[in-house]
Amino acid sequence: GSRYDLQLQLQLQHKEHQLTQGRSNTLSAGALDDPCRLEIGDCATHTEWIADPLQLMKILMQVAYEGQPPKTVLEIGCGESSLAARLYDTLRGMAKVTAIDVSEVALSRAQAAFAGPKRPGLSFVRADATNLQEMFDTASLGLIVDKGLCDTFQFRAKQRNSRALRRRLFAEVFRALEPGGAYVMVTPKSQPQYLHSVPWASVDCMELEQPGGLLFDLAGGGANGP
């Protein structure tokens, strides 16, 4: 495989007022390392896509503690990542953390690996990130984390549906965020399209030098690393 020279972005949106406003941040990565396999306690070994959650914790905690620590956290498109569990543990169980995906297989694996009595406030739920109204009220989430879902919509959806999917995603994330809440997107895209289809208060970009994740080469049809 080849080493990628890509920008890994973290989009962070805050609702600072009851008028719908937000802020966005971007993480960037100079190169993607080997596939990173993690273990949390007695959890099974697994692959992390795009970025190792351990590499994200520092910036995510900076985001989380800019204001009041979030009481509710949502990871969208979680797959079988350890990110939600890392967030729960790093926040010391003080926040309710929900991770959603459309894949029952991925959710089952994540549930078996990371949920349980030690993490009573962590749950894995099958749900569509573009339609969360039955799960979350407007302005009810303090932090929403997206590690690759928006990119999946862009590259894997039918081209004619891709724009609509991303617009719906951003609109729904924006609706669900509480005043002062944040949306963090981790992506190889330096300028994610349609992010500004909703009125975020600000957009920032930060670089993640050693993401330690596995990037899937959609053009070549395989996973790449150094």
Side-chain angles (χ1 to χ4, degrees), residues 8-10 36-37 43 69 76 78 83 128 131 136 141 152 162 174-175 182-183 203 210 225:
L8 202 70
Q9 298 187 347
L10 179 150
C36 181
R37 296 184 177 275
C43 298
I76 56 177
C78 63
L83 178 56
D128 178 359
N131 184 10
F136 300 104
L141 294 168
T152 299
S162 179
F174 196 72
R175 179 198 67 80
Y183 169 44
V203 176
Q210 299 292 331

Side-chain angles (χ1 to χ4, degrees), residues 5-9 26-30 187-191 205-207:
D5 185 14
L6 292 175
Q7 202 175 42
L8 202 70
Q9 298 187 347
T26 301
L27 281 177
S28 69
T187 171
K189 288 290 183 181
S190 60
Q191 295 182 340
C205 175
M206 288 170 285
E207 181 174 352

Side-chain angles (χ1 to χ4, degrees), residues 45-57:
T45 302
H46 62 290
T47 299
E48 290 289 351
W49 294 96
I50 298 183
D52 176 350
L54 282 176
Q55 302 296 328
L56 301 177
M57 283 303 105

